[in-house]
Amino acid sequence: MMEEEELEFVEELEAVLQLTPEVQLAIEQVFPSQDPLDRADFNAVEYINTLFPTEQSLANIDEVVNKIRLKIRRLDDNIRTVVRGQTNVGQDGRQALEEAQKAIQQLFGKIKDIKDKAEKSEQMVKEITRDIKQLDHAKRHLTTSITTLNHLHMLAGGVDSLEAMTRRRQYGEVANLLQGVMNVLEHFHKYMGIPQIRQLSERVKAAQTELGQQILADFEEAFPSQGTKRPGGPSNVLRDACLVANILDPRIKQEIIKKFIKQHLSEYLVLFQENQDVAWLDKIDRRYAWIKRQLVDYEEKYGRMFPREWCMAERIAVEFCHVTRAELAKIMRTRAKEIEVKLLLFAIQRTTNFEGFLAKRFSGCTLTDGTLKKLESPPPSTNPFLEDEPTPEMEELATEKGDLDQPKKPKAPDNPFHGIVSKCFEPHLYVYIESQDKNLGELIDRFVADFKAQGPPKPNTDEGGAVLPSCADLFVYYKKCMVQCSQLSTGEPMIALTTIFQKYLREYAWKILSGNLPKTTTSSGGLTISSLLKEKEGSEVAKFTLEELCLICNILSTAEYCLATTQQLEEKLKEKVDVSLIERINLTGEMDTFSTVISSSIQLLVQDLDAACDPALTAMSKVRSWEMASYKLTRAAQGGFYWPLSVASPGSSERKGSAEENGEAPEFLKALS
């Protein structure tokens, strides 16, 4: 019975002492031990087997038992000591808690005392600084009042001085004073409800209005639109008046500029009236020479009168360009029948030169967005069609076709003045297009005449299949025409020129290339079985001569060159024309025409080859199969090849010996030789 109770007690004790892995790990970290009894997975049987591994070791069992009992007594002593030590822990803890509570109460009392003292100190500081804060506000308000009164005094005195200086036309002093008065007046915007301030503001506005009217009157008197002669030079009064105008309403400045430029160009309108001889295109140089003299005269007499930021010289030049463009457009509409291509190109060349002169001298800062269309630099191209393309400066044409071979001056790619005058010539470029139509027609006729006079190219093994020289001449002329037209306009005239190019590409293809191909009375559709079996004894097929074959090869090479170059021409035309007109550039029909010429040339060459092989093929069709099989060619005299004997027919042995012994070849082999 006692044993059962002890077993139950042991089981309950083991259940109580079963610790979780986390707790066991924590114990091992805090109290590391190598004793097997301290392991969580302690096994008594294994431990006893470790102590007594053999039967002989049981002799020491009493000694081992004594050691274990000694160890148990030590553990009991330790446990007893610890239990006794814990009897007074509760009492000590309560005593420590009471002491802590007392310390907290004392600390709270001290904090309360400090807070009361701080509140008292703050109240004392507020009482001390109350008067200082009032004095600080008073100082700030006093400073603002003094500053405002000073500004008011300056404004009142400035307005009085401004009115007095305006009456005396002391514009030099007014320029500095007016700017100061306007700056001071900005400080009183929030005080405009005060009648006195509003009255001063109205006086300033009235003075500005009076100054504007007075300055305009002074300029009108100094530079009258009609009547008296222009004075010899500017005055200091007008120079100072321009400084004042810079501060006034911008409309005053614009009115001064407008009146001065109008008066400056009044002589030009009289000299180059529509009914004057110098107004026509042949004397267009005189217009540009006149404005150049006027610009020099302006710099000498009035260059220091106007502020530099007004850019008066450039404004005069720009207004001259607008007037000139309108006058030229008007006179060209009136005398449109008198415009010739040489005269038109001369005028355009002189005009573009003048626009280049303006670009070198001025920056174009006065041009508005709608004044002209600035040209964009074309994208870089690897197209070889225009690898040495001339630059856009137009040169005078010496002949009716134009001296297109003369070198041309380079034009800056960012010329802001390009087209400011020359745009007026664009509606009349049909004269140029018609001239190019006529010139190209004459060029094609000359090519035809030269071909007839010189005849077909002589056969030459070194130059077989060379391109006709007229083809290169045609595309060189096309290149120059395209470059020239793109300098004049990139709009509808380029489309019209493209139509002319298409017309004469087709004419060249039919008149020069297709029209000169050799004619033949027979045509061959290729080698067929029927042609091999057809008897043609007594009839001969027409063959081309060596000269005709050379001509066909030249035309074939020329057509291939034209096809490739036409494609490049189309790409370059699309680069030159306006973006909105690119879709209207299409040379597919012309490329198809050259493809047709290529096809015809190849057909003629194939036909000649067919005619050359026809006798041999006819002879082959007449040789009996048994004779062909019986013959064996020992070695060809020239090529060194063997004719294999693969078929033997009845009777072949009778003829084989004679054919080989006599060294005779069949008829078709003789024909091939």
Side-chain angles (χ1 to χ4, degrees):
M1 190 69 179
M2 292 296 292
E3 294 179 355
E4 294 179 357
E5 292 178 356
E6 290 179 358
L7 291 175
E8 292 178 358
F9 176 76
V10 170
E11 291 177 356
E12 292 176 358
L13 183 62
E14 290 180 352
V16 172
L17 295 177
Q18 190 68 27
L19 302 177
T20 62
E22 293 80 5
V23 175
Q24 187 66 32
L25 180 62
I27 292 174
E28 291 178 357
Q29 291 177 353
V30 176
F31 302 106
S33 173
Q34 300 295 330
D35 194 345
L37 296 175
D38 294 333
R39 296 177 59 85
D41 55 348
F42 174 74
N43 190 325
V45 176
E46 292 181 357
Y47 182 71
I48 293 173
N49 290 333
T50 303
L51 294 176
F52 306 104
T54 61
E55 293 181 0
Q56 291 78 7
S57 60
L58 293 175
N60 300 325
I61 189 171
D62 295 334
E63 183 180 353
V64 173
V65 170
N66 292 330
K67 289 181 179 179
I68 293 175
R69 287 177 179 174
L70 178 61
K71 189 174 183 179
I72 291 172
R73 282 197 299 270
R74 289 177 180 175
L75 288 174
D76 290 340
D77 293 340
N78 292 336
I79 292 171
R80 191 179 301 109
T81 302
V82 172
V83 170
R84 290 175 180 176
Q86 294 295 324
T87 54
N88 298 327
V89 170
Q91 184 178 357
D92 295 340
R94 286 191 294 272
Q95 183 178 357
L97 179 61
E98 291 175 357
E99 292 177 356
Q101 290 177 347
K102 291 180 181 179
I104 292 173
Q105 290 178 357
Q106 294 176 358
L107 180 62
F108 181 76
K110 292 180 180 180
I111 292 173
K112 186 176 181 181
D113 293 340
I114 294 173
K115 182 178 179 181
D116 293 339
K117 293 179 180 179
E119 290 177 353
K120 292 179 181 179
S121 300
E122 183 180 1
Q123 188 65 27
M124 292 175 61
V125 170
K126 287 182 179 179
E127 292 177 356
I128 294 173
T129 59
R130 182 182 297 116
D131 297 336
I132 298 177
K133 188 177 296 184
Q134 292 177 353
L135 292 175
D136 185 61
H137 286 301
K139 177 184 178 182
R140 186 181 303 111
H141 294 322
L142 181 61
T143 302
T144 303
S145 300
I146 293 174
T147 303
T148 304
L149 289 175
N150 287 334
H151 287 164
L152 182 61
H153 175 72
M154 293 169 58
L155 180 61
V159 171
D160 293 337
S161 301
L162 182 62
E163 292 174 344
M165 293 177 182
T166 300
R167 289 190 295 269
R168 293 194 297 268
R169 285 182 166 78
Q170 296 176 344
Y171 296 130
E173 292 78 2
V174 167
N176 297 325
L177 180 60
L178 179 60
Q179 186 63 54
V181 169
M182 294 177 65
N183 293 336
V184 172
L185 189 61
E186 291 179 358
H187 295 283
F188 291 94
H189 282 171
K190 56 184 177 182
Y191 304 117
M192 286 300 172
I194 302 175
Q196 291 80 0
I197 302 298
R198 186 169 59 251
Q199 182 180 3
L200 288 174
S201 177
E202 292 174 354
R203 288 176 62 186
V204 172
K205 293 180 180 179
Q208 289 178 327
T209 303
E210 182 180 357
L211 274 172
Q213 295 175 352
Q214 187 170 298
I215 290 173
L216 289 176
D218 292 343
F219 270 92
E220 182 65 27
E221 181 180 354
F223 304 101
S225 301
Q226 297 176 354
T228 59
K229 187 178 180 181
R230 190 186 308 171
S235 63
N236 294 332
V237 175
L238 295 181
R239 183 175 63 249
D240 296 338
C242 291
L243 299 178
V244 176
N246 256 343
I247 306 173
L248 297 175
D249 191 338
R251 290 177 295 180
I252 302 298
K253 170 185 171 182
Q254 296 298 329
E255 187 67 22
I256 293 173
I257 294 173
K258 181 179 178 181
K259 286 186 176 182
F260 180 79
I261 294 177
K262 182 178 179 181
Q263 194 275 339
H264 214 70
L265 297 179
S266 59
E267 180 183 351
Y268 173 72
L269 295 175
V270 174
L271 292 176
F272 294 91
Q273 288 182 356
E274 185 178 356
N275 56 359
Q276 299 293 328
D277 292 338
V278 293
W280 189 228
L281 300 181
D282 58 345
K283 297 181 177 60
I284 197 170
D285 281 339
R286 298 189 181 183
R287 294 177 180 267
Y288 304 133
W290 182 89
I291 189 59
K292 290 178 182 178
R293 290 194 301 270
Q294 293 302 312
L295 291 176
V296 173
D297 181 70
Y298 165 80
E299 293 293 343
E300 293 178 352
K301 295 182 179 180
Y302 310 104
R304 297 183 179 180
M305 185 176 73
F306 295 99
R308 178 169 297 182
E309 62 269 17
W310 285 21
C311 302
M312 284 299 296
E314 181 176 330
R315 293 179 185 275
I316 293 172
V318 170
E319 184 62 24
F320 166 82
C321 292
H322 295 333
V323 173
T324 301
R325 183 171 62 183
E327 291 295 323
L328 289 176
K330 180 180 178 182
I331 194 172
M332 283 191 292
R333 284 195 302 269
T334 305
R335 304 171 63 176
K337 296 181 179 180
E338 302 179 27
I339 300 177
E340 299 178 354
V341 63
K342 182 178 179 180
L343 180 62
L344 179 65
L345 294 179
F346 167 79
I348 294 175
Q349 182 263 330
R350 292 295 187 264
T351 302
T352 52
N353 285 346
F354 175 70
E355 291 171 352
F357 163 77
L358 294 180
K360 293 178 181 179
R361 183 164 182 178
F362 303 116
S363 63
C365 60
T366 62
L367 298 174
T368 58
D369 294 338
T371 302
L372 68 155
K373 175 185 175 183
K374 295 184 180 180
L375 293 180
E376 298 180 355
S377 300
S381 174
T382 58
N383 191 336
F385 186 73
L386 291 179
E387 57 186 0
D388 56 345
E389 176 181 348
T391 50
E393 283 289 348
M394 186 58 59
E395 295 293 336
E396 181 182 2
L397 302 181
T399 63
E400 186 175 359
K401 294 181 181 179
D403 187 7
L404 298 174
D405 295 329
Q406 292 183 358
K408 302 180 180 181
K409 299 178 181 179
K411 166 181 164 280
D414 55 348
N415 180 3
F417 296 93
H418 181 73
I420 191 171
V421 180
S422 56
K423 280 290 181 182
C424 66
F425 298 108
E426 187 168 337
H428 304 277
L429 287 179
Y430 67 89
V431 177
Y432 169 77
I433 301 299
E434 292 174 355
S435 172
Q436 295 303 328
D437 188 5
K438 179 181 177 183
N439 293 340
L440 283 170
E442 294 177 355
L443 187 63
I444 295 295
D445 293 340
R446 193 187 74 188
F447 290 160
V448 174
D450 291 345
F451 192 89
K452 291 180 179 180
Q454 300 174 5
K458 300 298 184 293
N460 191 335
T461 56
D462 295 335
E463 299 180 0
V467 178
L468 296 178
S470 59
C471 174
D473 295 341
L474 178 66
F475 281 104
V476 167
Y477 191 82
Y478 270 20
K479 176 177 69 174
K480 294 178 180 179
C481 289
M482 181 181 63
V483 174
Q484 192 176 47
C485 186
S486 65
Q487 297 162 5
L488 306 179
S489 172
T490 57
E492 289 295 334
M494 283 292 289
I495 301 299
L497 184 66
T498 302
T499 304
I500 299 298
F501 285 172
Q502 292 174 308
K503 172 184 175 182
Y504 289 103
L505 283 174
R506 292 191 297 269
E507 287 198 12
Y508 185 84
W510 296 121
K511 290 184 178 181
I512 306 298
L513 301 181
S514 181
N516 288 309
L517 284 174
K519 303 298 187 295
T520 178
T521 57
T522 62
S523 60
S524 173
L527 298 178
T528 62
I529 299 299
S530 60
S531 66
L532 291 174
L533 301 177
K534 187 182 297 183
E535 297 286 344
K536 290 190 178 181
E537 295 182 359
S539 63
E540 295 183 358
V541 179
K543 295 184 178 180
F544 296 121
T545 63
L546 183 59
E547 290 78 7
E548 290 175 336
L549 290 175
C550 181
L551 175 60
I552 294 173
C553 292
N554 287 334
I555 291 177
L556 175 61
S557 299
T558 303
E560 291 177 346
Y561 173 81
C562 291
L563 178 62
T565 311
T566 301
Q567 183 177 2
Q568 297 173 358
L569 174 63
E570 180 182 12
E571 295 174 358
K572 185 55 66 173
L573 285 171
K574 289 182 178 180
E575 291 180 9
K576 294 294 183 182
V577 79
D578 291 340
V579 178
S580 59
L581 302 176
I582 289 179
E583 296 299 329
R584 296 172 61 181
I585 303 290
N586 188 359
L587 302 183
T588 305
E590 289 64 37
M591 288 188 278
D592 292 342
T593 301
F594 289 115
S595 298
T596 303
V597 176
I598 294 173
S599 178
S600 300
S601 302
I602 294 175
Q603 288 178 2
L604 290 177
L605 293 175
V606 172
Q607 176 182 323
D608 183 76
L609 179 61
D610 186 12
C613 296
D614 193 58
L617 295 175
T618 303
M620 290 175 62
S621 65
K622 293 180 179 181
V623 176
R624 291 188 296 273
S625 60
W626 63 267
E627 185 177 4
M628 295 176 59
S630 64
Y631 181 79
K632 178 180 179 182
L633 183 63
T634 57
R635 180 179 294 273
Q638 298 177 352
F641 58 87
Y642 291 93
W643 187 273
L645 177 61
S646 59
V647 179
S649 60
S652 62
S653 59
E654 301 177 359
R655 300 178 57 87
K656 181 173 73 171
S658 60
E660 294 179 351
E661 293 173 359
N662 300 331
E664 297 177 356
E667 293 296 330
F668 75 92
L669 292 177
K670 294 180 179 180
L672 287 175
S673 61

